[in-house]
């Protein structure tokens, strides 16, 4: 489904990603774990076209190279990003935020079905469709952000630190909701500092350090790996 071959990204002279290769198969949930500044957001920004990367960057979705496509063209191609900090519109209602995700041509004919699917995944949102998003809890706002991304019926959903800034209770609720999304066969590439939770949700994981992939394995193997536990899972 999604393949990345030798992706490098720079901020001026600073190389934030250095030859990153990874793949996500259809229906898989894959985590990228890494400390602050490892390059996780840069990776997702590069895939979604928010950041220019070197020409040789082979980002391929369903066999189609994405190089040269703008961010909105990548949404049409099947990539949806839920950015760090969510990017929801607080003054607008849940319904309005969700329908903003339905603008791509690929999604418009299906918007009613997609809305129904999102509301089945996040039943809490159904009762709140007319509520302004700013009046909702951080966890609920994150569900709106994920729901909006799902309204474009993406082939791959990119999630950037969805649990950031949420209370422990809301983190649990969010991961329960993500479990439902996973069960609905959505393909997900997830970057998270909450490594344990994200691996519990995932099929496989990659370890990113200073812009390089330094390891990869099944999520179960990573959860049981001594070195991974020490470095990423808090011992
Ligand atoms: P975090 O969890 O803190 O967001 P991250 O793993 O997502 O970390 P990135 O945000 O991708 O990391 O950053 C990777 C590296 O690139 C870091 O060294 C960071 O300081 C640097 N960087 C990120 N954004 C910029 C920018 N706009 N200009 C210059 N350097 C940047």
């Amino acid at each position: 489904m999604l393949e990345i071959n030798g992706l490098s990204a720079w901020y001026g002279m600073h190389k934030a990603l250095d030859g990153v290769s990874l793949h996500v198969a259809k229906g898989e949930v894959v985590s990228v774990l890494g400390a602050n500044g490892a390059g996780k957001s840069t990776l997702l920004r590069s895939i979604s076209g928010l950041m220019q990367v070197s020409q040789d960057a082979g980002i391929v979705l369903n066999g189609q190279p994405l190089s040269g496509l703008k961010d909105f063209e990548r949404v049409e191609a099947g990539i949806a990003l839920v950015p760090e900090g969510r990017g929801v519109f607080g003054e607008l209602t849940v319904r309005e935020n969700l329908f903003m995700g339905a603008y791509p041509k690929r999604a418009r004919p299906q918007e009613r079905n997609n809305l129904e699917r999102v509301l089945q995944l996040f039943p809490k949102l159904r009762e709140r469709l007319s509520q302004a998003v700013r009046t909702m809890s951080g966890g609920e706002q994150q569900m709106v952000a994920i729901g909006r991304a799902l309204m474009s019926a993406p082939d791959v959903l990119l999630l950037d630190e969805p649990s950031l800034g949420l209370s422990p209770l809301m983190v649990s609720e969010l991961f329960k909701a993500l479990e439902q999304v996973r069960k609905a066969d959505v393909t997900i590439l997830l970057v998270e500092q909450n490594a344990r939770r994200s691996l519990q949700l995932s099929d496989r994981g990659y370890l990113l350090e200073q812009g390089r992939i330094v390891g990869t394995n099944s999520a179960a193997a990573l959860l049981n790996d001594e070195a991974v536990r020490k470095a990423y899972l808090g011992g």
Side-chain angles (χ1 to χ4, degrees):
M1 165 105 3
L2 178 67
E3 255 178 81
I4 298 172
N5 301 303
L7 171 65
S8 296
W10 301 77
Y11 294 104
M13 299 292 283
H14 176 69
K15 200 172 196 180
L17 292 179
D18 187 2
V20 168
S21 297
L22 58 80
H23 68 276
V24 186
K26 188 169 163 49
E28 254 191 333
V29 178
V30 173
S31 286
V32 176
L33 310 181
N36 269 334
K40 305 182 300 297
S41 298
T42 304
L43 173 64
L44 296 193
R45 290 169 57 78
S46 303
I47 298 170
S48 56
L50 291 174
M51 186 171 163
Q52 290 295 311
V53 289
S54 50
Q55 282 305 307
D56 60 342
I59 305 177
V60 179
L61 180 69
N62 296 324
Q64 179 197 356
L66 297 185
S67 299
L69 295 188
K70 300 258 187 302
D71 52 354
F72 62 90
E73 293 168 325
R74 294 184 191 206
V75 178
E76 290 291 356
I79 298 271
L81 170 69
V82 180
E84 195 174 319
R86 304 172 203 135
V88 289
F89 295 91
E91 297 306 317
L92 301 184
T93 64
V94 170
R95 182 186 281 105
E96 288 165 337
N97 271 276
L98 291 177
F99 274 111
M100 256 178 209
Y103 73 87
K105 280 195 214 89
R106 63 180 278 125
R108 268 183 239 157
Q110 292 294 322
E111 67 180 18
R112 289 282 149 198
N113 288 347
N114 290 339
L115 178 65
E116 192 46 43
R117 190 161 165 246
V118 165
L119 296 178
Q120 274 171 12
L121 287 171
F122 304 116
K124 272 198 160 175
L125 299 186
R126 194 186 291 277
E127 309 147 23
R128 314 273 181 110
L129 278 172
S130 305
Q131 191 171 328
V133 165
R134 72 178 151 71
T135 64
M136 302 172 79
S137 73
E140 289 160 354
Q141 292 192 19
Q142 188 60 259
M143 288 174 204
V144 174
I146 296 168
R148 182 179 60 186
L150 290 174
M151 288 292 286
S152 71
D155 292 324
V156 180
L157 180 65
L158 309 178
L159 297 176
D160 194 354
E161 302 273 6
S163 78
L164 197 72
L166 300 184
S167 69
L169 195 69
M170 280 195 252
V171 171
S172 294
E173 204 171 316
L174 172 74
F175 275 95
K176 267 189 215 141
L178 287 176
E179 188 65 36
Q180 296 306 311
V181 178
R182 190 184 73 82
K183 281 188 187 145
D185 280 335
V186 178
T187 305
I188 300 175
L189 181 61
L190 167 67
V191 313
E192 256 289 337
Q193 287 191 45
N194 198 327
R196 189 179 304 276
R197 293 255 192 192
S198 54
L199 285 177
Q200 284 165 348
L201 181 77
S202 298
D203 299 296
R204 291 187 299 114
Y206 291 89
L207 309 176
L208 186 66
E209 268 177 32
Q210 295 178 0
R212 291 191 188 166
I213 300 287
V214 295
T216 180
N217 212 331
S218 70
L222 290 172
L223 277 166
N224 287 314
D225 183 300
E226 190 72 26
V228 172
R229 289 170 88 102
K230 275 208 181 109
Y232 297 90
L233 303 174

